[in-house]
């Protein structure tokens, strides 16, 4: 998949093969009883429908010449009954196939979404999220008609075709052979367009993916767009991508539309040939051909080409679906690089000692972000990590939670290699607050409780009070029951961070990871928050990343990281005495704490 680009077409890692159709069948297999029942119903319906031309032939050749009014009435009633049965069967078929198709679609979508939950951060780092989303929604939806109607209709129409040919042969063999002469021509047309059609739909899905990727990016960045007055430029880009998708789609459907005219033309030619030959044979007194036979046979001709048309439509749908199946299964087959070993065990209750042993890590091969990182954080100690942007600070804490695999080295917690335990049991005992304070749509209460789904309302409120969030929450229209939008657009950046902070606290972890936890909180609120932090960090091993150095002065150890290495390590006083990198960084920052009056109840004043 294209790396973080909306204007680069996706490339498949593997070519399509018919094993993928077998995989599609694996989703259909659990519903085979419903499919068999529906197919049986459709075969019965198709078989009943075959009697209509025979009945017409009997009326024309026997009842009308003999003026048998009673026979015409009886046989007409029989015909009405047959049509009523067919209507009931079709109604039942629509109900079953609709439910069947949606059940299969749900399972495919569920599998791809479940797999996305397991994929590591690296998968999402490298891909436009819109291109991931289009696979879960649009591509799966595109299979709906194929699974709801296409497969069952195709199977039943195959049986219908067999019934029709049998009835046609029973009426007249010569006329049947004339009708079948059109099939080789149709097969030649299908063979000619099949490769071009698949490629065309692949290109169309590429352009659709690009368009969706840009739409998702534009929505996420709408504030920046309007702030920098980029609306017109974005519209130009959108129109360009939309135009390319429109062109690709038109080229793809062009091949689809080639089949229907071909079938219609072949049907018309063979029908005309049968009329010409049939009339000439009747006029010549040919044995076995009457007006009733010719009318019955022409009735079957229409019925013969109808299932052929359906089969051609299914073929079109299948080729279209192939281009989507390739990408759906490619996503499901995406390897889960960060996963449990077969021998992985549950992580025992964590005490909190964390050790890095010569850790080497890179996002891209040959470009190490961390190069030989080694340190030990003992139980209950707070470790701060500072350094310039891009030094590898966030990478260090991401590795503790095992969001990525190491290139080499070890990370031990309480002497246990984190590669030897299950990921779930490891992460459940950690509290993580990342730079992106993500707020889910729902209530404030639900967002904080995300850290511990079993927490009571009182525990949620206590966590909010600890991080100085309670007062601003109570100031909202419904307090903790206030609904917030996705990403918390109704809240300020500082408020979102405080909620995320309460969420991490509520998890009551033995290892706490705070990545720029106070970056969006003003200095005054931060002072009060320090008291909550001291209570929060007590008895826990913590790792704190902060550009605002005033928040980490009390840490047991401070690591100064740059160029993937630890250049300095010690507490605040030790590093200041060294007058090295940390000293230079610290003195360059203005000390806001000295400017704030003591004992001021800033949380009550709503200083954020």
């Amino acid at each position: 998949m294209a790396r973080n680009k909306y204007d680069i077409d996706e490339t498949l890692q593997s070519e399509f093969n018919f094993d993928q159709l077998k995989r599609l069948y694996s989703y259909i297999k659990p519903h085979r009883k419903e499919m068999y029942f529906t197919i049986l119903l459709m075969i019965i319906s198709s078989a009943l429908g075959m009697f209509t031309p025979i009945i017409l032939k009997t009326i024309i050749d026997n009842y009308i010449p003999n003026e048998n009014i009673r026979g015409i009435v009886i046989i007409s009633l029989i015909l009405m009954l047959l049509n009523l049965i067919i209507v009931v069967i079709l109604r039942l078929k629509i109900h079953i196939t609709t439910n069947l198709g949606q059940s299969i679609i749900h399972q495919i979508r569920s599998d791809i979404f479940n797999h996305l939950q397991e994929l590591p951060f690296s998968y999402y780092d490298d891909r436009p999220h819109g291109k991931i989303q289009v696979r879960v929604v649009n591509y799966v939806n595109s299979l709906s008609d194929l699974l709801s109607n296409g497969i069952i209709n195709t199977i039943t129409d195959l049986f219908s075709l067999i019934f029709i040919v049998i009835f046609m042969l029973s009426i007249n063999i010569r006329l049947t052979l004339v009708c079948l002469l059109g099939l080789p021509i149709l097969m030649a047309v299908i063979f000619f367009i099949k490769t071009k059609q698949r490629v065309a739909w692949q290109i169309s899905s590429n352009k659709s993916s690009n368009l969706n990727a840009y739409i998702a990016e534009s929505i996420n960045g709408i504030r920046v767009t309007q702030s920098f007055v980029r609306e017109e430029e974005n519209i130009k880009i959108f129109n360009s991508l939309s135009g390319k998708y429109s062109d690709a789609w038109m080229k793809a459907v062009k091949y689809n539309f080639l089949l229907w005219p071909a079938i219609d033309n072949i049907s018309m030619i063979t029908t005309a040939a049968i009329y010409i030959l049939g009339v000439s044979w009747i006029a010549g007194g040919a044995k076995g051909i009457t007006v009733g036979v010719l009318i019955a046979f022409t009735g079957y001709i229409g019925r013969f080409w109808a299932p052929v048309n359906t089969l051609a439509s299914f073929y079109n749908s299948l080729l279209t679906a192939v281009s989507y199946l390739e990408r759906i299964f490619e996503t499901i087959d995406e390897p889960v690089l960060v996963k449990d070993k077969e021998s992985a065990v549950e992580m025992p209750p964590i005490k909190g000692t964390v050790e890095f042993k010569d850790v080497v890590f890179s996002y891209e091969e040959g470009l190490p972000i961390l190069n030989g990182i080694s340190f030990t954080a003992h139980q209950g100690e707070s470790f701060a990590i500072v350094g310039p942007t891009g030094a590898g600070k966030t990478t260090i804490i991401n590795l503790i939670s095992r969001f990525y695999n190491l290139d080499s080295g070890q990370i031990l917690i309480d002497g246990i290699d984190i590669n030897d335990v299950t990921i779930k049991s490891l992460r459940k005992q950690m509290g993580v607050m990342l730079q992106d304070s993500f707020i889910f749509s729902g209530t404030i209460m639900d967002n904080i409780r995300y850290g511990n789904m079993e927490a009571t309302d009182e525990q949620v409120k206590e966590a909010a009070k600890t991080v100085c969030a309670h007062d601003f929450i109570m100031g909202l229209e419904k307090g903790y029951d206030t609904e917030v939008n996705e990403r918390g657009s109704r809240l300020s950046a500082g408020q979102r961070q405080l909620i995320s902070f309460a969420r991490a606290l509520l998890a009551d972890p033995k290892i706490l990871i705070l990545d720029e936890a106070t970056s969006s909180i003003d200095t005054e609120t931060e002072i009060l928050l320090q008291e909550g932090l001291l209570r929060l960090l007590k008895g826990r091993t913590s790792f704190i990343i902060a550009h605002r150095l005033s928040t980490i002065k009390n840490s047991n150890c401070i690591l100064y990281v740059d160029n993937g290495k630890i250049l300095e390590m010690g507490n605040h006083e030790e590093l200041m005495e060294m007058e090295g990198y940390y000293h230079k960084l610290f003195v360059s920052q203005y000390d806001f704490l000295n400017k704030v009056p003591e004992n001021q109840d800033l949380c009550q004043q709503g200083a954020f």
Side-chain angles (χ1 to χ4, degrees), residues 261-487:
I263 293 172
D264 288 342
N265 288 330
I266 294 171
S267 172
M268 290 175 62
I269 292 170
T270 53
T271 302
I274 286 171
Y275 271 122
I276 294 170
L277 292 173
V279 170
S280 64
W281 288 336
I282 292 173
K287 185 179 179 181
I289 298 181
T290 64
V291 174
V293 168
L294 186 59
I295 291 175
F297 198 89
T298 53
Y300 281 120
I301 291 176
R303 294 170 183 268
F304 174 82
W305 288 106
V308 170
N309 204 349
T310 301
L311 293 173
S313 296
F314 174 76
Y315 180 78
N316 276 332
S317 299
L318 186 62
L319 285 180
T320 304
V322 160
S323 64
Y324 299 126
L325 278 174
E326 289 170 322
R327 286 168 169 78
I328 291 170
F329 289 140
E330 181 190 49
T331 304
I332 294 176
D333 291 339
E334 185 72 30
V336 181
L337 300 177
V338 181
K339 61 181 178 180
D340 295 336
K341 293 164 53 175
E342 291 186 5
S343 59
V345 297
E346 293 287 307
M347 183 73 187
I350 289 177
K351 296 178 180 178
T353 298
V354 179
E355 182 179 3
F356 274 58
K357 284 188 174 182
D358 198 26
V359 169
V360 177
F361 172 79
S362 58
Y363 293 105
E364 297 183 22
E365 189 174 350
L367 298 172
I369 301 298
L370 300 179
N371 194 359
I373 296 291
S374 298
F375 66 85
T376 301
H378 296 287
Q379 179 181 350
E381 290 185 336
S382 59
F383 265 56
I385 307 172
V386 300
T389 301
K393 304 184 295 298
T394 298
T395 301
I396 291 175
I397 62 172
N398 282 338
L399 294 179
I400 297 173
S401 298
R402 206 181 160 208
F403 290 134
Y404 300 90
N405 288 325
L406 305 180
D407 293 351
S408 63
Q410 281 184 306
I411 298 177
L412 308 176
I413 296 181
D414 299 335
I416 301 173
D417 192 326
I418 63 173
N419 286 320
D420 295 333
V421 300
T422 63
I423 295 173
K424 186 175 181 179
S425 66
L426 172 69
R427 293 176 184 168
K428 282 183 69 174
Q429 300 188 62
M430 294 185 180
V432 181
M433 182 177 170
L434 301 175
Q435 286 175 313
D436 182 12
S437 302
F438 195 92
I439 301 297
F440 299 90
S441 57
T443 65
I444 299 286
M445 182 74 74
D446 291 338
N447 267 280
I448 297 176
R449 190 177 276 125
Y450 201 85
N452 179 3
M453 300 304 293
E454 298 179 357
T456 65
D457 290 357
E458 288 305 315
Q459 288 173 321
V460 170
K461 292 177 181 179
E462 188 60 35
K465 290 176 182 177
T466 301
V467 301
C468 210
H470 178 75
D471 291 326
F472 97 76
I473 293 173
M474 293 305 296
L476 299 174
E477 61 267 26
K478 294 183 180 179
Y480 285 87
D481 293 324
T482 301
E483 295 279 343
V484 291
N485 302 326
E486 182 183 346
R487 305 194 69 88

Side-chain angles (χ1 to χ4, degrees), residues 169-357:
L169 288 171
S170 68
I171 294 174
N172 191 277
I173 295 176
R174 284 188 294 174
L175 292 176
T176 303
L177 294 176
V178 173
C179 182
L180 294 178
L181 286 176
L183 286 180
I185 302 173
L186 179 61
M187 295 302 296
V189 174
I190 292 174
F191 182 80
F192 172 74
I193 68 173
K194 67 174 184 177
T195 302
K196 294 182 178 180
Q197 189 175 5
R198 175 178 174 246
V199 172
W201 279 112
Q202 283 182 336
I203 295 172
S204 176
S205 64
N206 283 340
K207 303 308 179 184
S208 172
S209 180
N210 293 346
L211 180 60
N212 276 273
Y214 186 71
I215 291 172
E217 179 182 298
S218 298
I219 291 172
N220 289 332
I222 191 63
R223 288 174 176 80
V224 177
T225 295
Q226 294 184 0
S227 297
F228 288 90
V229 197
R230 279 224 4 141
E231 293 91 340
E232 291 186 7
E233 182 65 25
N234 285 9
I235 290 172
K236 289 179 182 178
I237 295 173
F238 173 84
N239 287 337
S240 174
L241 293 172
S242 182
K244 290 178 181 178
Y245 170 55
S246 177
D247 292 342
W249 188 86
M250 290 299 294
K251 290 179 181 178
V253 297
K254 177 183 70 176
Y255 292 108
N256 282 23
F257 293 153
L258 284 178
L259 274 181
W260 299 330
I263 293 172
D264 288 342
N265 288 330
I266 294 171
S267 172
M268 290 175 62
I269 292 170
T270 53
T271 302
I274 286 171
Y275 271 122
I276 294 170
L277 292 173
V279 170
S280 64
W281 288 336
I282 292 173
K287 185 179 179 181
I289 298 181
T290 64
V291 174
V293 168
L294 186 59
I295 291 175
F297 198 89
T298 53
Y300 281 120
I301 291 176
R303 294 170 183 268
F304 174 82
W305 288 106
V308 170
N309 204 349
T310 301
L311 293 173
S313 296
F314 174 76
Y315 180 78
N316 276 332
S317 299
L318 186 62
L319 285 180
T320 304
V322 160
S323 64
Y324 299 126
L325 278 174
E326 289 170 322
R327 286 168 169 78
I328 291 170
F329 289 140
E330 181 190 49
T331 304
I332 294 176
D333 291 339
E334 185 72 30
V336 181
L337 300 177
V338 181
K339 61 181 178 180
D340 295 336
K341 293 164 53 175
E342 291 186 5
S343 59
V345 297
E346 293 287 307
M347 183 73 187
I350 289 177
K351 296 178 180 178
T353 298
V354 179
E355 182 179 3
F356 274 58
K357 284 188 174 182

Side-chain angles (χ1 to χ4, degrees), residues 435-553:
Q435 286 175 313
D436 182 12
S437 302
F438 195 92
I439 301 297
F440 299 90
S441 57
T443 65
I444 299 286
M445 182 74 74
D446 291 338
N447 267 280
I448 297 176
R449 190 177 276 125
Y450 201 85
N452 179 3
M453 300 304 293
E454 298 179 357
T456 65
D457 290 357
E458 288 305 315
Q459 288 173 321
V460 170
K461 292 177 181 179
E462 188 60 35
K465 290 176 182 177
T466 301
V467 301
C468 210
H470 178 75
D471 291 326
F472 97 76
I473 293 173
M474 293 305 296
L476 299 174
E477 61 267 26
K478 294 183 180 179
Y480 285 87
D481 293 324
T482 301
E483 295 279 343
V484 291
N485 302 326
E486 182 183 346
R487 305 194 69 88
S489 58
R490 296 181 59 190
L491 304 173
S492 70
Q495 290 171 340
R496 292 197 297 270
Q497 279 199 320
L498 289 175
I499 290 174
S500 297
F501 208 4
R503 180 192 296 161
L505 187 156
L506 193 64
D508 192 26
K510 291 299 181 181
I511 295 177
L512 183 63
I513 296 172
L514 306 175
D515 187 355
E516 290 295 330
T518 60
S519 63
S520 295
I521 299 172
D522 62 82
T523 307
E524 292 85 352
T525 303
E526 184 186 319
I527 297 172
L528 284 180
L529 190 56
Q530 292 300 318
E531 298 178 8
L533 273 173
L534 290 175
R535 294 195 296 271
L536 173 62
L537 300 180
K538 187 176 181 179
R540 311 176 200 274
T541 306
S542 59
F543 295 88
I544 306 168
I545 295 177
H547 288 101
R548 193 181 295 175
L549 301 183
S550 57
T551 61
I552 59 161
K553 286 176 61 177

Side-chain angles (χ1 to χ4, degrees), residues 75-266:
I75 204 166
S76 297
L77 290 174
I78 293 173
L79 186 60
M80 289 177 61
L81 180 62
L82 290 177
N83 287 329
L84 181 61
I85 294 172
I86 291 171
V87 168
V88 172
I89 289 175
L90 289 177
R91 177 68 183 84
L92 185 59
K93 172 255 183 184
I94 292 171
H95 175 73
I96 295 175
T97 55
T98 300
N99 290 333
L100 179 65
Q102 287 307 307
S103 296
I104 298 171
I105 289 295
H106 169 73
Q107 188 57 54
I108 295 174
R109 184 177 287 118
S110 178
D111 283 355
I112 189 172
F113 183 80
N114 291 346
H115 190 67
L116 288 172
Q117 302 305 298
E118 299 177 355
L119 292 175
F121 282 8
S122 56
Y123 179 82
Y124 299 96
D125 292 341
D126 293 341
R127 290 158 173 83
H129 294 175
K131 291 193 176 186
I132 299 173
Q133 181 178 332
V134 75
R135 297 186 178 210
V136 182
V137 181
N138 298 42
Y139 289 177
V140 176
N141 283 346
S142 297
L143 302 177
S144 179
D145 186 60
L146 176 71
L147 296 172
S148 296
N149 296 301
I151 294 175
I152 290 176
N153 287 348
T154 299
I155 295 173
T156 55
D157 280 343
L158 280 173
F159 281 101
S160 296
L161 203 56
I162 294 171
F163 290 147
I164 292 167
V165 172
I166 291 172
F167 273 89
M168 290 169 67
L169 288 171
S170 68
I171 294 174
N172 191 277
I173 295 176
R174 284 188 294 174
L175 292 176
T176 303
L177 294 176
V178 173
C179 182
L180 294 178
L181 286 176
L183 286 180
I185 302 173
L186 179 61
M187 295 302 296
V189 174
I190 292 174
F191 182 80
F192 172 74
I193 68 173
K194 67 174 184 177
T195 302
K196 294 182 178 180
Q197 189 175 5
R198 175 178 174 246
V199 172
W201 279 112
Q202 283 182 336
I203 295 172
S204 176
S205 64
N206 283 340
K207 303 308 179 184
S208 172
S209 180
N210 293 346
L211 180 60
N212 276 273
Y214 186 71
I215 291 172
E217 179 182 298
S218 298
I219 291 172
N220 289 332
I222 191 63
R223 288 174 176 80
V224 177
T225 295
Q226 294 184 0
S227 297
F228 288 90
V229 197
R230 279 224 4 141
E231 293 91 340
E232 291 186 7
E233 182 65 25
N234 285 9
I235 290 172
K236 289 179 182 178
I237 295 173
F238 173 84
N239 287 337
S240 174
L241 293 172
S242 182
K244 290 178 181 178
Y245 170 55
S246 177
D247 292 342
W249 188 86
M250 290 299 294
K251 290 179 181 178
V253 297
K254 177 183 70 176
Y255 292 108
N256 282 23
F257 293 153
L258 284 178
L259 274 181
W260 299 330
I263 293 172
D264 288 342
N265 288 330
I266 294 171

